[in-house]
Amino acid sequence: MKTGLVLEGGAMRGMYTAGVLDVFMEQGITFDGVIGVSAGALFGVNLLSRQAGRVIRYNKRFNADPNYLGLRPLLRTGNIVDTEYAYDRVPRTLDVFDDETYRASKIPFYAVVTNVDSGEPEYIKIDSVFEQMDVLRASGSMPFVSKPVEIDGKKYLDGAVTDSIPFEKFLEMGYERLVVVLTKPEGYVKKQMPRMLTQMCYASAYPKFAERVRDRHVMYNASTARLAELEQEGTVLVLRPSQHVKISRVEKNPEKLQALYDVGVRDAQERAEKIRKFLADNGSGK
């Protein structure tokens, strides 16, 4: 049976995912394929480059820099993250991403993006992080605070708008048992985005995308309900934060980043044996 790992987004709530993935690396827990959306994609690629500790390290180091994240790059470039700083200087020079090891892993990794013209999700296989950095950037480009990313003549934004937890896609692709890492606590219910904001920003240029942003809460809440059913059936195993850490989507405080990361580490350590049994019970050989 093919096993898959599914990684929700959530901006800096993804520090929880970073902690979980570092435990997976340290304990040798592997999968036949990985799919991530938004922060789940941006942070998840480090699993295949085998760089435990990198995500928490570079976020603690750079998030507090006003030129990296926040109002200054938003006013200067239209993106809340300085794209040249975050997607070029950091991974290539300041905290180097190991693209060679990533490519050698041979484990398929997919990033979810949203086509702003069609209003539909697209699932793009990342063969090289450096060569496909714009796909990862698009997956993590949050609406309202990011410009669309153009790839092959098409424009994209945050994949979480149209598929926040892409477990259904992986089931369609033949991954029969899934470990799903969520960044929201149990019982979380997403609320509707202010309609006026959506209309002002996207209704004219990207009406189909505007509809998806407006209805995102419906999609998300239906997905979590379905996920709960699959969890009861034994098709998926879900990891979610066991402890609440109040954190901003663009959190700069290194202590808060570390606190949420530590929750991910503890949760993964406590459930590591259960995860191994879940994978082994399905004949994966893991």
Side-chain angles (χ1 to χ4, degrees):
M1 279 183 151
K2 288 175 66 177
T3 61
L5 177 63
V6 179
L7 306 174
E8 183 183 15
M12 287 305 117
R13 288 194 295 267
M15 287 302 105
Y16 177 79
T17 303
V20 170
L21 298 184
D22 282 356
V23 172
F24 287 175
M25 280 185 260
E26 291 163 3
Q27 300 209 14
I29 297 173
T30 60
F31 302 85
D32 297 316
V34 185
I35 188 168
V37 57
S38 195
L42 291 168
F43 299 162
V45 292
N46 293 272
L47 177 68
L48 302 191
S49 68
R50 309 299 301 171
Q51 290 177 278
R54 180 175 180 270
V55 174
I56 184 64
R57 181 176 65 241
Y58 78 73
N59 278 281
K60 287 174 66 176
R61 180 181 175 188
F62 298 113
N63 280 19
D65 185 342
N67 293 306
Y68 178 82
L69 172 70
L71 185 60
R72 190 176 295 179
L74 180 62
L75 294 176
R76 186 176 67 247
T77 70
N79 294 297
I80 200 164
V81 175
D82 185 301
T83 58
E84 189 276 333
Y85 194 158
Y87 297 102
D88 186 30
R89 288 174 57 202
V90 169
R92 293 182 183 273
T93 306
L94 301 177
D95 196 322
V96 177
F97 179 80
D98 188 350
D99 198 43
E100 183 177 354
T101 297
Y102 175 89
R103 289 184 284 109
S105 75
K106 303 300 182 183
I107 297 172
F109 187 103
Y110 299 86
V112 188
V113 295
T114 297
N115 184 311
V116 296
D117 289 307
S118 69
E120 294 297 325
E122 295 183 16
Y123 308 87
I124 301 176
K125 186 171 178 287
I126 305 297
D127 296 310
S128 165
V129 167
F130 284 161
E131 292 178 9
Q132 296 173 277
M133 188 65 78
D134 281 348
V135 176
L136 293 169
R137 181 162 68 90
S139 185
S141 291
M142 295 182 289
F144 309 113
V145 291
S146 306
K147 291 181 177 180
V149 179
E150 186 167 328
I151 304 169
D152 296 331
K154 299 178 182 179
K155 293 180 179 180
Y156 298 93
L157 280 171
D158 194 346
V161 171
T162 48
D163 197 350
S164 296
I165 317 169
F167 60 93
E168 294 282 13
K169 182 63 178 181
F170 246 23
L171 291 173
E172 291 175 10
M173 293 173 66
Y175 292 89
E176 298 160 281
R177 292 300 175 92
L178 309 176
V179 172
V180 179
V181 181
L182 303 181
T183 57
K184 317 289 196 310
E186 188 170 9
Y188 173 83
V189 176
K190 184 172 285 295
K191 298 179 180 179
Q192 184 174 15
M193 186 77 66
R195 183 182 179 88
M196 183 176 295
L197 181 61
T198 303
Q199 291 296 110
M200 287 174 57
C201 293
Y202 295 117
S204 176
Y206 310 114
K208 293 181 179 178
F209 182 73
E211 290 178 11
R212 299 305 294 265
V213 174
R214 183 194 65 202
D215 297 335
R216 184 185 172 193
H217 66 296
V218 177
M219 175 273 295
Y220 185 88
N221 295 332
S223 292
T224 56
R226 176 57 181 155
L227 193 61
E229 294 176 357
L230 293 172
E231 190 173 17
Q232 287 295 317
E233 294 171 7
T235 303
V236 304
L237 186 153
V238 177
L239 278 168
R240 54 169 62 85
S242 62
Q243 178 183 340
H244 175 67
V245 176
K246 188 175 182 181
I247 191 168
S248 165
R249 291 178 64 84
V250 290
E251 186 61 59
K252 295 173 175 287
N253 186 327
E255 293 181 357
K256 290 186 176 182
L257 296 172
Q258 185 70 52
L260 185 54
Y261 171 87
D262 290 343
V263 174
V265 169
R266 289 194 298 270
D267 287 356
Q269 289 175 338
E270 290 174 1
R271 300 192 69 187
E273 188 58 32
K274 184 174 182 179
I275 293 169
R276 286 195 185 91
K277 290 180 179 178
F278 174 78
L279 298 173
D281 285 347
N282 294 293
S284 66
K286 303 288 195 305

